[in-house]
Amino acid sequence: MEELIKKAAEAKGLPAAMVERSAAARAKAEGTTLEAVLREWAGEEAGAEPAAEGEAPAPAAEAPAEEAGEAVETPEAETGPKVEVLGPRSAEVAEGGEEPGATAESEPEPVAATVPTGAPAMTGFPRWLAAAFMVIPTIAVLYAMLAPDGPGCGVAGQLEIDPVTGEAVNCDGSDYGEDVVDFFTMGDDLYVARCAACHGATGGGGAGPAFTGGAVLTTFPAGSCSTAEGHVAWVAAGSSGWPTPTYGANAKPVGGVGVMPAFGESLTAEELAAVVLYERVNFGGEALADAETDCGLTGDEVTATP
Amino acid sequence: MTHNATPEPELPTEVPEDLFADLPGYAPPQVTIAAARPYLVVALGFLALSLVLGLIAATHLVFPDIFSGMLGYGRIAPVATDMFVFGWLTIGLAGVLLFAVGRLGRVELPNDRLASNSLLLLAGGVVLGSGAVALGAGEARPLLEYPLWADAVLLLGMIGFALVITRTASGATRDMGPVGWYAVAASWWLVLAFIVGNVPGVGGVGGTIQIAFFRSTITGLWLASAAVGVVYFVIPRLSARPSFVSTRLSLLGFWSLAFVWALTSPATLTYGPVPDWVETVGVVFSIGLLVPVLVIATDLALALRGRWQVASNDITIRFVVLGGALFLVFPLVNLMLALRASSGVVQFTDWVTGVDAVAWYGAFTAWLIAAVYRVIPELTGRVTAARSIRLHHALTATGLGVWAFALLTAGVITGWTWVANANEALVPAAGDGWFNTADAVAWLGPVKLAGFGVFAIAQFLFVASVLGGRSASYTAPLVVGAPVSAPDPELVLDRTVTLGRVRAGAVALFVLAALFVWVVPGLETRSTEPTLLADSSRQPDKHSVEARGREIYIQEGCVVCHTQQVRPIVTDVGLGAVSEIGDYVHESPALLGTMRIGPDLMHVGSGEPSSEAAWVAAHLADPRVERSFSLMPSYDHLSDADLDAVAAYVTSLR
């Protein structure tokens, strides 16, 4: 045994203690005996080795030619392994390319069997990493293909550029930060979604009172949109939350025509004001500018001076 | 991937030194060792000095009244950063690489005079450049502030070092594996990156693209590559594995890093005044950067697999792990700057500094520290006590963690405040809008300072303990490369990757990247017609008071904290007309800036009250009279004429 170790150590050019330890680990990893591994390393057993060595690109010719190799290499040969390094296959290209069909995982391991360390065989690479190679470049390429010039207006915070002033503006060309929202349209949408079921799509009434024919402005006249007992307050509180038995300028009884739900929780203050604005303008015939002022929805008010 | 959980019982926990020492015919390369020693000593000196200066800069951001003049933030912050990158990291990594090549390749330096002269030039360049910037001769080009003559000295040192590494490596009698590839490639990348970064006379946006290209190549192709090479050298020592096992994975990691990293450079220009396709290239390759980083990290982890028991005996492994974790984080935080959706929030904020903290101060520094601990005993015969290494690691990890986390958090908060300001129609660049931002992140100021302070103190302890460690008889473990004469079949792979090929491939990839993301877009921006703005307000007449003001603006480093670019996104609403390539064609350097520690100044002259020169001059002299939250240093050391000149320049920016 001692002799075998010495022989293997000589063949490897490494200290005996190290070779013994490495061989033990190798034997364990491969499920063979220590002696078999040592024999293999010492070169006494010529099994599958020569075939593997024959496949390798002549090491002896390559080894001393470090500087010479540089001069001989054509640029084309250089770019071969380099350009393709993004995929797992390139590793084989770099390796010599004798086995184009073999994949990294299924590569037979006769070569690795001679690694002179106590390490587990470490050729090839983990499968999850191989998957990452595929996935990451794919994502990158997809990004380039889907948005070569970046996302369009409205995506990722991107805005339009006003051709005259050069400033960033909304995608429709309106100024950013001023009247960003069209409250009338917003109110229209909210009315259709939340109110039309009881008050009718055209404000003609149903389970709830009608708004048309001046009815809205009779109950909540101009100037009472956002007052304490005004239009917005009524929509927010509903009939169950209303503090007094009557509401509106004409003292209509609470619960007289159906039950008014409270929208104060489900709509924001801005949405409440917008839907009230819509009712007053569309069904009551109030001027938009007046109603905006009345309901506190003028664009100017949210604009602070820097 | 199966993990071997059961420790090998026959493995001794303490690897006997003689396992390595009894190799026949081994003699350590004394000349190489002697040449590497001064590199590390000088690097450690720069580390301490740059952190003293960094502390002044960090203190300034919390107590802006303490320092001004030469120690004002605009001058001292770039000096500190540049010294950290070129003084500590560059010279330190160079020293370790020199040592590693000599040791692994078992080769003596062919010319030790060249090595020591290169060090002299490198250190001289850093000292001269730092002095020049502190005295007001800086160039206002982030990371390239040193004046051209100081750059020339530094460049000569870099070329000398690259020659030393190449010549030493070519005489190697052992295959050095990945260490050899990274050492040779990185040293030439350093030279190329520095040359490209300093090509003079590139004005307009082309110059900004040039700086971005320099920034990513110096980070990825020099610092990261050199640091990875150093770790490939350190890990076998820690795990007492006598020969690294180089795999196809190592090779894949190397070439994918070489291919991808330089092309990530437009990542910092997202939404800026550059061609859209350039931004997209930056995003695409910033995503792709995950590939080399994952591959390299996996390869390094695999090299430790099954040897944790041995490696964990050495406390130095903690720095390797710390660096590895931050190395994995880097592509993610960098990607946030590149992706358009997130860059709209984090660009120009503390996030930018946070990315540097993760890479330069974090990953690369941690790996270099690990190497220094492993190498210094052999160089100086002094051993650092395990106790102080443990303390050093704890303080470094804590300080760095707090600092980086606070920076990234502050970045996100700042970005969201800018967006919120825009939605409330508050102009983020002035008055209430800027106050909201300053107020929202004010509480993080002391946290950042405390984190950086702990980090700096840890490094002071490190320098003191390494240079002043107790003398002890130290038997260096020997890590051998595979013999060149009888190649191991496993390493046949490496023999097809000769160092000559590595160098040629590295240079070729660099040139391709430089063409693609600097030269082509640079020429495109150069041929852009000047806009009305460029002709009217961005071209002060020579010898005019505005031109003088611009000179002082550059000299005082105003560009460190102020951008001059408006992006077409929500964050920048209210800052005025969106910037175009044509706006900058007359400027060299174009002062686009990278950070908004103060407001954007692209159109500051059309805002109130900043349109009045008298107000601006008064604000410069005493910033906190009108703006209590301002972090700007006081410029009352400037003469009245100079203050008026700066004010005239600033108000001319309409």
Side-chain angles (χ1 to χ4, degrees):
Chain A
M1 191 63 153
E2 290 285 49
E3 208 133 291
L4 201 54
I5 292 171
K6 244 183 214 161
K7 222 167 169 186
E10 241 163 63
K12 292 268 140 206
L14 292 168
M18 207 159 72
V19 166
E20 186 181 7
R21 199 162 51 77
S22 306
R26 164 70 50 206
K28 203 178 153 198
E30 298 205 321
T32 58
T33 64
L34 176 62
E35 207 180 317
V37 175
L38 285 172
R39 228 178 257 290
E40 191 183 309
W41 287 3
E44 287 184 9
E45 198 179 84
E49 283 302 299
E53 234 129 59
E55 272 168 29
E62 195 76 23
E66 237 174 61
E67 285 302 310
E70 182 201 353
V72 172
E73 292 306 329
T74 59
E76 286 76 17
E78 297 287 339
T79 49
K82 259 172 352 243
V83 173
E84 293 177 71
V85 287
L86 280 180
R89 225 176 245 178
S90 60
E92 277 140 40
V93 177
E95 207 202 3
E98 257 97 331
E99 297 176 50
T103 68
E105 286 80 11
S106 66
E107 182 93 2
E109 304 260 328
V111 167
T114 56
V115 176
T117 70
M122 290 199 290
T123 51
F125 39 86
R127 272 151 211 266
W128 64 266
L129 200 57
F133 285 163
M134 293 290 130
V135 174
I136 294 168
T138 307
I139 293 174
V141 169
L142 272 180
Y143 184 94
M145 285 167 63
L146 292 178
D149 292 332
C153 187
V155 181
Q158 181 127 269
L159 298 173
E160 249 347 292
I161 299 173
D162 188 293
V164 180
T165 63
E167 303 211 17
V169 292
N170 290 318
C171 300
D172 60 7
S174 59
D175 284 355
Y176 188 92
E178 284 172 30
D179 271 342
V180 183
V181 187
D182 176 357
F183 291 111
F184 185 81
T185 311
M186 180 180 171
D188 188 359
D189 294 342
L190 284 165
Y191 182 85
V192 171
R194 311 298 294 270
C195 318
C198 294
H199 295 289
T202 53
F211 294 142
T212 44
V216 166
L217 296 185
T218 312
T219 310
F220 296 110
S224 66
C225 175
S226 51
T227 55
E229 296 191 347
H231 197 162
V232 170
W234 167 250
V235 178
S239 44
S240 60
W242 196 250
T244 54
T246 62
Y247 71 98
N250 49 357
K252 289 170 74 173
V254 173
V257 188
V259 175
M260 175 71 185
F263 289 97
E265 293 288 316
S266 58
L267 297 184
T268 67
E270 198 176 74
E271 286 169 335
L272 281 170
V275 75
V276 166
L277 172 91
Y278 173 77
E279 290 171 4
R280 300 174 72 83
V281 174
N282 200 39
F283 304 130
E286 198 173 11
L288 179 65
D290 293 348
E292 275 185 346
T293 315
D294 194 5
C295 300
L297 287 175
T298 48
D300 292 355
E301 256 178 51
V302 290
T303 310
T305 40
Chain B
M1 189 170 65
T2 54
H3 183 71
N4 190 5
T6 50
E8 299 165 53
E10 72 271 25
L11 253 183
T13 48
E14 205 81 52
V15 177
E17 305 279 55
D18 62 358
L19 179 69
F20 303 100
D22 67 356
L23 276 166
Y26 176 73
Q30 290 306 332
V31 182
T32 309
I33 290 175
R37 186 186 300 132
Y39 274 77
L40 291 185
V41 173
V42 168
L44 288 168
F46 278 128
L47 171 66
L49 185 55
S50 77
L51 288 175
V52 169
L53 300 174
L55 269 180
I56 292 177
T59 306
H60 184 104
L61 291 181
V62 181
F63 305 104
D65 277 321
I66 298 181
F67 303 107
S68 66
M70 247 174 73
L71 296 179
Y73 189 84
R75 290 199 196 180
I76 213 69
V79 170
T81 309
D82 295 356
M83 190 181 288
F84 193 87
V85 169
F86 296 113
W88 155 241
L89 286 176
T90 296
I91 295 179
L93 288 168
V96 177
L97 284 181
L98 198 57
F99 178 83
V101 166
R103 211 65 164 78
L104 278 185
R106 300 227 213 152
V107 58
E108 289 289 16
L109 285 182
N111 185 349
D112 64 321
R113 286 283 294 278
L114 186 56
S116 53
N117 287 341
S118 302
L119 172 63
L120 203 64
L121 289 167
L122 287 170
V126 173
V127 169
L128 291 173
S130 304
V133 175
L135 290 171
E139 283 190 348
R141 301 165 71 230
L143 209 57
L144 286 164
E145 281 93 352
Y146 293 170
L148 214 52
W149 49 267
D151 288 331
V153 176
L154 206 49
L155 178 63
L156 284 178
M158 290 169 180
I159 293 174
F161 165 69
L163 286 174
V164 168
I165 283 282
T166 314
R167 285 191 194 168
T168 312
S170 67
T173 58
R174 297 257 156 172
D175 189 327
M176 296 169 287
V179 179
W181 316 334
Y182 281 105
V184 169
S187 60
W188 286 105
W189 279 328
L190 171 65
V191 171
L192 290 171
F194 207 71
I195 290 174
V196 166
N198 283 297
V199 169
V202 185
V205 172
T208 306
I209 298 175
Q210 177 188 23
I211 298 168
F213 184 73
F214 174 74
R215 187 186 183 79
S216 66
T217 47
I218 202 80
T219 300
L221 296 185
W222 162 239
L223 297 175
S225 302
V228 168
V230 159
V231 180
Y232 270 114
F233 172 67
V234 168
I235 282 186
R237 296 199 142 208
L238 291 177
S239 59
R241 191 171 262 157
S243 169
F244 57 84
V245 179
S246 74
T247 64
R248 275 174 268 171
L249 212 52
S250 318
L251 195 67
L252 196 58
F254 174 77
W255 286 118
S256 56
L257 181 146
F259 174 57
V260 171
W261 210 311
L263 294 169
T264 65
S265 71
T268 49
L269 303 174
T270 300
Y271 279 140
V274 293
D276 277 341
W277 68 267
V278 180
E279 291 177 20
T280 304
V281 169
V283 176
V284 166
F285 284 95
S286 295
I287 298 172
L289 187 59
L290 286 165
V291 170
V293 168
L294 272 178
V295 171
I296 291 167
T298 308
D299 195 37
L300 294 172
L302 284 177
L304 278 166
R305 188 167 61 154
R307 305 294 293 216
W308 271 107
Q309 224 188 349
V310 179
S312 58
N313 281 337
D314 195 313
I315 306 152
T316 331
I317 190 73
R318 298 184 186 182
F319 280 101
V320 175
V321 173
L322 176 66
L326 292 164
F327 185 62
L328 281 169
V329 168
F330 174 79
L332 300 175
V333 290
N334 190 54
L335 186 58
M336 292 298 107
L337 278 181
L339 283 174
R340 287 171 170 105
S342 49
S343 107
V345 175
V346 297
Q347 183 63 279
F348 303 147
T349 69
D350 275 345
W351 190 279
V352 178
T353 316
V355 174
D356 296 343
V358 168
W360 301 339
Y361 293 80
F364 310 152
T365 293
W367 279 347
L368 182 51
I369 287 170
V372 168
Y373 275 134
R374 294 306 303 176
V375 164
I376 276 281
E378 240 177 288
L379 295 183
T380 64
R382 289 168 193 273
V383 179
T384 313
R387 195 161 32 89
S388 48
I389 301 182
R390 211 172 281 131
L391 177 68
H392 176 212
H393 174 266
L395 290 178
T396 303
T398 311
L400 200 64
V402 170
W403 183 48
F405 190 73
L407 283 170
L408 298 177
T409 310
V412 173
I413 295 176
T414 305
W416 281 120
T417 320
W418 286 342
V419 174
N421 281 341
N423 285 331
E424 287 169 25
L426 290 172
V427 180
D432 290 347
W434 194 260
F435 172 72
N436 280 351
T437 306
D439 196 41
V441 292
W443 64 278
L444 281 166
V447 180
K448 284 186 277 183
L449 177 58
F452 187 79
V454 171
F455 174 77
I457 289 167
Q459 306 325 313
F460 299 148
L461 290 177
F462 165 59
V463 173
S465 68
V466 164
L467 294 182
R470 74 192 153 81
S471 298
S473 68
Y474 177 80
T475 322
L478 170 65
V479 180
V480 294
V484 167
S485 49
D488 191 304
E490 167 68 6
L491 295 171
V492 162
L493 171 64
D494 302 332
R495 303 311 306 157
T496 68
V497 191
T498 63
L499 292 179
R501 270 191 176 198
V502 164
R503 199 174 60 202
V507 171
L509 280 180
F510 183 94
V511 171
L512 284 178
L515 281 175
F516 190 45
V517 292
W518 175 48
V519 176
V520 172
L523 290 176
E524 189 176 330
T525 60
R526 208 185 158 101
S527 57
T528 306
E529 288 291 309
T531 57
L532 207 60
L533 189 75
D535 289 330
S536 60
S537 76
R538 297 195 69 83
Q539 191 186 22
D541 296 329
K542 268 185 186 168
H543 312 300
S544 67
V545 67
E546 285 87 3
R548 169 75 187 133
R550 190 173 187 274
E551 276 170 27
I552 301 167
Y553 186 94
I554 291 171
Q555 158 196 323
E556 296 297 331
C558 302
V559 74
V560 174
C561 298
H562 294 283
T563 56
Q564 287 189 24
Q565 51 176 317
V566 180
R567 300 162 297 169
I569 53 173
V570 172
T571 322
D572 284 7
V573 164
L575 291 178
V578 172
S579 304
E580 296 173 47
I581 298 167
D583 291 347
Y584 304 95
V585 286
H586 299 314
E587 296 170 51
S588 184
L591 302 171
L592 278 85
T594 55
M595 285 284 283
R596 285 182 188 162
I597 295 175
D600 181 82
L601 302 180
M602 186 73 183
H603 305 289
V604 68
S606 45
E608 289 294 331
S610 51
S611 60
E612 298 160 35
W615 185 89
V616 174
H619 183 55
L620 286 167
D622 199 344
R624 275 154 293 281
V625 170
E626 291 263 348
R627 298 273 186 263
S628 59
F629 49 85
S630 172
L631 294 177
M632 188 162 68
S634 162
Y635 287 100
D636 55 5
H637 62 280
L638 294 178
S639 69
D640 283 351
D642 282 354
L643 276 178
D644 289 341
V646 180
Y649 169 66
V650 166
T651 50
S652 78
L653 298 170
R654 299 224 167 84

